[in-house]
């Protein structure tokens, strides 16, 4: 029988996330703070340092997916003229907005918090620009974009300083909106907190290098909430100290995320949000732990440097996996395969997120040639469950694990 | 005592009866329908008429976990690979064209699966594509096959989607294209989808229900890969492999 060992830190996670939503609610109701909407790898440190509460629509998209309600909303956005082939975070989020529904109602917010400004970075994808523009028009508020080049091979000085400069140029605009004068020391402080949070998050993920792993991808995908939405605050730092302590304790006491761990998998691509727990059970039942993933393991911005906050933000947000060339991605993956003792890779080709589907330009074949690690591709989507054929995928996954087990014999 | 292997496919349930020296001595095929238990029971009952059957039954395929009878379930791909290696005993590639999926399997020198791939989630390139088109055009499988034998040239069917492919074909008929040439185009479209699964660089074994009922498929493949072969009763290979996998484990 599939056994999943629950992490005790979940209650702290819940409280950390609840408190975050309460801060957004207070800011909305009292007007005590301005609200900035930001993309997941946008300049959160700068926004927090300038006194904004920061809201992340992508986190909202993931909440809709995990609550298994995205499918109710995607058709509403499609009827509004958005293609079902574009980002299903976008379509489910816009659809839910048009339906005037949100899981945040559980946290006491009447609707998503009204933005005073929207800031995006195209480092992850171009869809966020269209997504944010929809809301900028709707709420008639200013919108700013950082445009990052895509598929960066060599990270040159020109690219880094170009992005750093764009971040710096946001300052006077944000001052006008927040009414708060930019304070370099405060920015250094949020940059330090972001750096420290990222280091802790990396250490959390690295505990899965242990055999057996104390945490798996299905946990990490949930526990990464704070590093996404509270990067640059002490709340994220505090939370990851708790989680790390629990995981170190697990290692000491030989407690595994999957007690029968025989096979260690790397997951590339987005989570299937609407199938997170059933996937966790499936793998566990196959004596398999998904020990690392692009989705979680690429979320580490430890190049952030409080002494050089603008430049290091340019560096950290261009160095990010998703914005790199396949050649650079392959190097990162090769190292992860080694560090985490990976037996096999599963690529989730997510129908509506090309940028997070790394199987599309021949990378799986090249990586298999260089590492001799077998791979499997499955077709699905992050939020649109209609793109996922469960029965067929389960058969493919079971067969893949059989294949890996027979290789080990 | 005899062992039974059952492959519970989405369209058909295939059963083999295997003797103690691992030879197949009987085959039976029934429609799967909505009840996996009913279809597998029909197979077991049929074999039990003349033979004493050993339990457990060795199963694979979509419905394999849901049986009431004592059974051991296997992955269909591992089972298929086992049977093919048992028969041919060499490093090879397998293309299996079944009811709702087409699979590619690479088997290494020692009979292990090195790699496998399944078609993307739609029915393009699978048996259902062919069946649906034949049904809509009101042509039987045998007629379909003989149409293709008479073709003088092939026509390209563009649509991946079965429903749109039918509209495309109706348009072709209206424009005066002949059925034999169109049908050859349909077969070629299935092959194109199969060859998308991998570049085959060794010997090819073709299995699944389609080569059994549409032997033209093998001839077409041989134009591209001359050494391609298809075992007799190729749609029963996974059922057979389920028995072999377990016999091997016990030994
Ligand atoms: S990276 Fe993918 S999931 Fe994220 S916003 Fe862009 S398209 Fe959507």
């Amino acid at each position: 029988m599939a056994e999943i060992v629950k992490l005790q830190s979940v209650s702290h996670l819940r409280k950390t996330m609840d408190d975050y939503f309460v801060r957004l609610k207070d800011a909305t109701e009292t007007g005590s703070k301005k609200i900035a909407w930001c993309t997941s790898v946008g300049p959160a440190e700068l926004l927090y340092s300038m006194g904004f509460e920061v809201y992340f629509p992508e986190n909202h998209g993931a909440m809709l997916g995990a609550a298994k309600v995205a499918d109710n909303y995607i058709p509403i956005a499609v009827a509004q003229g958005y293609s079902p082939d574009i980002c299903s975070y976008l379509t489910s989020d816009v659809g839910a907005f048009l339906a005037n529904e949100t899981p945040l109602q559980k946290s006491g917010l009447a609707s998503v918090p009204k933005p005073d400004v929207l800031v995006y970075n195209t480092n992850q994808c171009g869809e966020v620009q269209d997504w944010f523009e929809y809301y900028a028009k709707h709420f008639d508020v200013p919108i700013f974009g950082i445009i990052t080049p895509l598929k960066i091979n060599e990270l040159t000085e020109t690219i880094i300083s170009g992005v750093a400069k764009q971040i710096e140029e946001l300052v006077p605009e944000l001052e006008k909106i927040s009414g708060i004068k930019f304070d370099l020391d405060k920015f250094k402080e949020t940059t330090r907190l972001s750096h420290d949070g990222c280091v802790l998050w990396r250490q959390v993920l690295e505990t899965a290098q242990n055999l057996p792993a104390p945490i798996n991808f299905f946990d990490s995908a949930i526990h990464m909430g704070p590093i996404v939405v509270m990067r640059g605050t002490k709340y994220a730092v505090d939370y990851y100290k708790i989680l790390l302590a629990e995981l170190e304790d697990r290692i000491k006491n030989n407690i595994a995320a999957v007690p029968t761990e025989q096979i260690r998998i790397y997951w590339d691509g987005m989570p299937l949000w609407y199938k997170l727990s059933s996937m966790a059970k499936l793998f566990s039942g196959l004596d398999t732990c998904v020990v690392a993933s692009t989705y979680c393991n690429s979320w580490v911005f430890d190049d952030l440097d409080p002494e050089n906050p603008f430049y290091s933000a340019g560096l950290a947000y261009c160095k990010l996996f998703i914005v790199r060339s396949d050649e650079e991605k392959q190097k990162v993956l090769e190292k992860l395969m080694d560090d985490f003792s990976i037996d096999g890779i599963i690529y989730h080709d997510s129908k509506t997120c090309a940028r997070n589907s790394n199987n599309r330009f021949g990378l799986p074949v090249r990586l298999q040639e260089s590492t001799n690690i077998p791979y499997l591709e499955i077709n699905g989507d992050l939020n649109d469950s209609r793109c996922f054929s469960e029965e067929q995928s389960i058969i493919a996954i079971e067969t893949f694990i059989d294949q890996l087990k027979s290789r080990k014999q | 005592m005899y062992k039974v292997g059952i492959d519970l496919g989405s369209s058909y349930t295939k059963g083999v009866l295997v003797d103690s020296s691992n030879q197949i001595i009987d085959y039976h095929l029934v429609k799967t329908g909505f009840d996996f238990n009913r279809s597998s029971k029909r197979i077991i009952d049929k074999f039990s008429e003349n033979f004493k059957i050993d339990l457990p039954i060795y199963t694979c395929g979509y419905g394999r976990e849901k049986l009431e009878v004592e059974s051991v379930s296997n992955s269909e791909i591992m089972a298929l690979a086992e049977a093919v290696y048992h028969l041919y005993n060499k490093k090879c590639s397998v293309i299996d064209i079944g009811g709702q999926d087409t699979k590619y399997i690479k088997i290494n020198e020692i009979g292990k699966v090195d790699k496998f791939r399944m078609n993307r989630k739609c029915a393009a390139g699978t048996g259902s594509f062919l069946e649906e088109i034949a049904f809509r055009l009101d042509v039987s499988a045998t007629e379909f096959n003989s149409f293709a034998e008479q073709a003088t040239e092939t026509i390209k069917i563009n649509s991946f989607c079965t429903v749109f492919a039918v509209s495309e074909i109706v348009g072709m008929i209206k424009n005066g294209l002949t059925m034999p040439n169109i049908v050859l185009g349909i077969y070629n479209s299935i092959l194109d989808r199969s060859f998308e699964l991998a570049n085959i660089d060794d010997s090819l074994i073709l299995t699944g229900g389609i080569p059994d009922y549409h032997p033209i498929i093998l001839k077409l493949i041989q134009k591209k890969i001359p050494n391609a072969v298809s075992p007799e009763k190729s749609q029963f290979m996974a059922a057979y492999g389920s028995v072999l996998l377990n016999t091997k484990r016990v030994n």
Side-chain angles (χ1 to χ4, degrees):
Chain A
M1 199 44 218
E3 195 189 338
I4 298 184
V5 187
K6 285 243 154 63
L7 283 159
Q8 304 295 317
S9 305
V10 164
S11 55
H12 294 281
L13 172 71
R14 215 166 281 144
K15 176 150 183 11
T16 306
M17 293 303 286
D18 279 350
D19 291 350
Y20 162 73
F21 290 121
V22 167
R23 289 194 294 278
L24 279 170
K25 175 174 174 276
D26 288 349
T28 312
E29 286 174 3
T30 63
S32 58
K33 280 185 163 188
K34 299 284 184 191
I35 291 174
W37 286 21
C38 183
T39 49
S40 60
V41 270
E45 300 80 5
L46 180 65
L47 295 167
Y48 275 123
S49 81
M50 295 185 72
F52 289 97
E53 282 302 347
V54 189
Y55 168 78
F56 296 82
E58 283 153 82
N59 175 245
H60 191 243
M63 287 171 84
L64 294 168
K68 304 186 204 298
V69 293
D71 286 354
N72 302 345
Y73 302 126
I74 293 170
I76 302 175
V78 172
Q80 190 69 21
Y82 287 89
S83 160
D85 292 338
I86 61 164
C87 172
S88 60
Y89 273 172
L90 185 167
T91 47
S92 42
D93 179 70
V94 168
F97 184 73
L98 289 167
N100 198 22
E101 288 170 7
T102 166
L104 299 180
Q105 280 156 351
K106 284 198 193 110
S107 303
L109 282 106
S111 69
V112 291
K114 182 186 171 309
D116 295 292
V117 61
L118 299 107
V119 185
Y120 61 85
N121 189 338
T122 60
N123 49 358
Q124 58 185 96
C125 69
E127 328 259 309
V128 291
Q129 182 173 349
D130 300 274
W131 187 357
F132 277 36
E133 274 168 359
Y134 169 82
Y135 287 108
K137 280 205 186 75
H138 178 88
F139 289 110
D140 192 22
V141 292
I143 177 166
F144 302 103
I146 297 161
I147 308 297
T148 303
L150 301 179
K151 298 203 173 231
I152 301 174
N153 209 3
E154 193 193 339
L155 203 47
T156 61
E157 203 44 46
T158 319
I159 296 175
I160 300 167
S161 41
V163 169
K165 189 156 183 287
Q166 290 184 65
I167 299 175
E168 199 160 358
E169 282 170 359
L170 292 172
V171 167
E173 302 297 339
L174 294 173
E175 280 178 332
K176 278 185 230 155
I177 296 159
S178 70
I180 294 173
K181 191 108 197 79
F182 173 72
D183 176 342
L184 184 62
D185 285 337
K186 279 201 179 133
F187 186 35
K188 285 181 172 180
E189 176 61 6
T190 55
T191 301
R192 185 187 64 75
L193 288 165
S194 187
H195 169 269
D196 293 356
C198 286
V199 169
L200 283 160
W201 172 237
R202 190 189 64 213
Q203 289 168 335
V204 161
L205 296 169
E206 282 172 354
T207 61
Q209 291 177 2
N210 190 66
L211 279 80
I215 183 168
N216 70 24
F217 166 59
F218 306 101
D219 300 316
S220 313
I222 296 291
H223 287 264
M224 88 185 276
I227 200 65
V228 177
V229 301
M230 285 169 256
R231 207 167 60 249
T233 71
K234 70 177 176 40
Y235 308 111
V237 174
D238 292 347
Y239 175 65
Y240 290 114
K241 281 183 185 157
I242 296 172
L243 180 59
L244 182 60
E246 182 181 358
L247 295 172
E248 284 170 344
D249 199 53
R250 275 190 167 195
I251 291 179
K252 234 182 274 153
N253 295 303
N254 205 28
I255 299 173
V258 174
T260 55
E261 179 190 304
Q262 279 181 44
I263 298 291
R264 298 166 62 87
I265 291 287
Y266 183 87
W267 181 279
D268 181 80
M270 297 294 287
L272 295 145
W273 283 114
Y274 44 91
K275 287 285 167 199
L276 216 49
S277 63
S278 61
M279 280 284 142
K281 283 194 198 108
L282 171 71
F283 281 101
S284 173
L286 297 170
D287 313 318
T288 298
C289 186
V290 181
V291 294
S293 66
T294 307
Y295 185 71
C296 296
N297 294 67
S298 70
W299 213 278
V300 175
F301 307 102
D302 47 3
D303 285 301
L304 288 171
D305 173 7
E307 287 320 305
N308 221 341
F310 285 110
Y311 181 84
S312 68
L315 171 65
Y317 290 115
C318 287
K319 201 173 178 185
L320 180 66
F321 186 90
I322 195 171
V323 74
R324 307 309 296 276
S325 65
D326 267 20
E327 204 180 314
E328 287 301 310
K329 285 179 179 173
Q330 187 171 332
K331 288 182 203 155
V332 174
L333 292 173
E334 280 165 358
K335 184 166 182 328
L336 287 168
M337 296 306 116
D338 255 12
D339 291 349
F340 285 84
S341 319
I342 300 295
D343 297 307
I345 310 172
I346 296 180
Y347 293 88
H348 167 207
D349 186 319
S350 212
K351 173 86 165 35
T352 72
C353 178
R355 297 300 305 286
N356 270 311
S357 301
N358 292 302
N359 60 324
R360 296 190 181 180
F361 296 92
L363 179 62
V365 173
R366 290 191 295 273
L367 190 62
Q368 179 165 25
E369 277 163 6
S370 76
T371 60
N372 197 26
I373 297 174
Y375 72 89
L376 170 74
E377 290 166 276
I378 60 165
N379 293 103
D381 188 55
L382 49 140
N383 264 15
D384 191 341
S385 69
R386 299 167 303 177
C387 302
F388 180 57
S389 160
E390 185 169 22
E391 191 65 24
Q392 205 201 23
S393 305
I394 290 179
I395 287 187
I397 291 170
E398 288 175 349
T399 306
F400 186 53
I401 302 302
D402 270 355
Q403 178 194 346
L404 298 176
K405 284 181 181 169
S406 99
R407 260 169 77 97
K408 282 196 147 184
Q409 275 164 16
Chain B
M1 291 295 260
Y2 295 87
K3 290 168 284 212
V4 171
I6 297 184
D7 172 7
L8 292 132
S10 56
S11 313
Y12 290 95
T13 301
K14 284 88 55 179
V16 291
L17 184 72
V18 176
D19 68 13
S20 53
S21 58
N22 277 341
Q23 298 299 315
I24 303 180
I25 51 165
D26 202 3
Y27 302 87
H28 193 50
L29 173 84
V30 297
K31 274 211 155 209
T32 299
F34 60 89
D35 185 348
F36 291 114
N37 274 303
R38 198 171 68 163
S39 61
S40 37
K41 187 166 178 305
R42 283 173 62 196
I43 287 182
I44 297 166
D45 289 350
K46 172 80 180 27
F47 290 148
S48 307
E49 284 170 11
N50 300 314
F51 298 94
K52 179 126 186 58
I53 287 170
D54 237 358
L55 286 181
I57 304 294
Y58 303 103
T59 61
C60 67
Y62 282 89
R64 67 187 197 275
E65 309 279 5
K66 304 177 182 89
L67 291 195
E68 284 158 11
V69 61
E70 186 190 341
S71 57
V72 173
S73 84
N74 303 278
S75 138
E76 189 184 335
I77 287 171
M78 299 309 244
L80 185 53
E82 187 70 20
V84 168
Y85 190 73
H86 177 79
L87 292 181
Y88 296 93
N89 208 4
K90 63 175 179 184
K91 172 173 177 279
C92 59
S93 292
V94 181
I95 286 185
D96 181 274
I97 310 179
Q100 76 171 44
D101 49 37
T102 299
K103 309 175 191 79
Y104 158 78
I105 311 170
K106 194 171 177 67
I107 302 174
N108 69 16
E109 333 25 54
I110 55 164
K112 291 207 168 174
V113 172
D114 256 359
K115 199 174 175 182
F116 73 93
R117 249 182 128 182
M118 288 155 85
N119 60 301
R120 296 162 72 88
K121 59 193 167 295
C122 88
T126 71
S128 310
F129 181 71
L130 207 54
E131 271 187 11
E132 177 63 22
I133 292 178
F135 175 74
R136 299 272 297 267
L137 300 176
D138 199 18
V139 187
S140 74
T142 349
E143 277 178 293
F144 228 70
N145 199 75
S146 54
F147 265 136
E149 302 269 9
Q150 300 155 31
T152 50
E153 60 175 308
T154 184
I155 283 159
K156 189 148 180 57
I157 312 287
N158 282 314
S159 183
F160 271 24
C161 161
T162 316
V163 176
F164 289 166
V166 173
S167 330
E168 200 182 333
I169 291 162
V170 170
M172 289 172 172
I173 296 170
K174 245 197 289 177
N175 289 330
L177 299 182
T178 68
M179 269 305 275
N181 292 352
I182 294 173
V183 171
L184 182 60
I186 295 168
Y187 282 122
N188 276 325
S189 125
I190 291 196
L191 290 186
D192 287 350
R193 295 287 90 73
S194 310
F195 283 123
E196 271 174 13
L197 293 173
N199 289 318
I200 292 161
D201 54 5
D202 50 10
S203 27
L204 175 67
I205 318 291
L206 183 67
T207 62
I210 296 303
D212 266 352
Y213 297 103
H214 303 263
I216 181 99
I217 280 274
L218 178 63
K219 288 192 202 155
L220 295 173
I221 286 193
Q222 282 167 340
K223 285 192 184 156
K224 223 174 149 172
I225 304 175
N227 68 8
V229 289
S230 181
E232 213 186 309
K233 305 259 186 204
S234 68
Q235 73 186 125
F236 293 90
M237 286 302 110
Y240 183 34
S242 300
V243 176
L244 295 176
L245 270 177
N246 291 278
T247 324
K248 202 175 69 176
R249 267 180 224 156
V250 174
N251 287 348

